[in-house]
C-alpha cells in the first residue's frame, strides 16, 4: 500500500515540477526525475521507471509530442493517445507515467514481483505549453 501511494506521489510531483516552467532543458528534467525518485525513500530505486511527455494540440485536437524523456521503462503512448480531444489547438499538457516494480523479500517465493503504475496529467502554469530549451 505504501509503495502504491509513493508511485502516485512520484508521478504527481514530476508533473507539477514540469508544469511550473515555460521551458525545460536536460539538467532541469534530470532534477525533476530526482525529485520524483525522492518520493520512494527509503526504498531502493531498482524498479523505478519514468516517462515525461510535453504535448501540444493540433487543429484536430490531437496531441503532438513536443519533447519526451523516458528512463527505465517503455514510452507510455497510450497515455498520450488518451488525451486526444481534451484541448484546443495550441494548448498543451504534461503527461508523466511512473512505474515501480517491487520484489518482496520473503513473499517473492510465493507471489513474485508487484508492479505499480500511475499516470499524472498537468497543464502548464506559466504558458500553454512547456517547450524544450537547447
Amino acid at each position: 500500500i505504501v509503495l502504491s501511494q509513493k508511485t502516485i506521489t512520484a508521478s504527481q510531483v514530476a508533473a507539477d515540477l514540469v508544469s511550473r516552467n515555460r521551458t525545460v532543458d536536460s539538467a532541469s528534467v534530470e532534477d525533476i526525475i530526482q525529485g520524483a525518485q525522492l518520493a520512494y525513500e527509503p526504498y531502493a530505486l531498482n524498479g523505478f521507471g519514468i516517462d515525461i511527455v510535453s504535448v501540444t494540440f493540433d487543429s484536430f485536437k490531437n496531441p503532438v509530442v513536443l519533447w519526451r524523456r523516458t528512463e527505465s521503462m517503455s514510452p507510455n503512448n497510450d497515455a498520450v493517445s488518451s488525451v486526444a480531444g481534451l484541448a484546443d489547438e495550441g494548448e498543451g499538457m504534461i503527461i508523466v507515467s511512473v512505474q515501480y516494480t517491487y520484489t518482496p523479500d520473503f513473499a517473492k517465493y510465493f507471489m513474485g514481483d508487484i508492479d505499480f503504475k500511475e499516470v499524472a496529467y498537468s497543464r502548464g502554469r506559466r504558458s500553454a505549453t512547456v517547450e524544450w530549451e537547447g
Side-chain angles (χ1 to χ4, degrees), residues 1-77:
I1 293 173
V2 170
L3 285 169
S4 177
Q5 291 172 336
K6 288 179 178 286
T7 303
I8 293 167
T9 300
S11 67
Q12 292 174 346
V13 163
D16 178 58
L17 291 174
V18 172
S19 68
R20 292 179 184 202
N21 301 289
R22 291 177 198 249
T23 62
V24 294
D25 59 14
S26 211
S28 61
V29 171
E30 188 61 38
D31 289 343
I32 290 165
I33 292 170
Q34 288 178 0
Q37 291 172 334
L38 287 173
Y40 285 99
E41 285 195 356
Y43 295 92
L45 293 172
N46 301 357
F48 175 82
I50 191 166
D51 181 36
I52 305 172
V53 186
S54 178
V55 300
T56 188
F57 291 88
D58 65 15
S59 59
F60 299 104
K61 297 185 178 185
N62 291 319
V64 177
V65 174
L66 294 172
W67 59 268
R68 173 178 241 151
R69 174 79 178 269
T70 306
E71 287 191 6
S72 303
M73 68 178 284
S74 298
N76 188 350
N77 293 320

Side-chain angles (χ1 to χ4, degrees), residues 86-129:
L86 292 182
D88 292 327
E89 181 179 8
E91 293 187 29
M93 187 174 286
I94 303 301
I95 305 165
V96 178
S97 302
V98 172
Q99 72 178 27
Y100 186 84
T101 302
Y102 175 67
T103 304
D105 289 332
F106 300 107
K108 67 183 172 190
Y109 302 108
F110 306 106
M111 59 189 286
D113 292 342
I114 302 170
D115 294 319
F116 300 97
K117 296 179 183 176
E118 184 65 30
V119 180
Y121 302 89
S122 182
R123 293 280 182 111
R125 292 185 187 183
R126 299 174 61 200
S127 61
T129 60

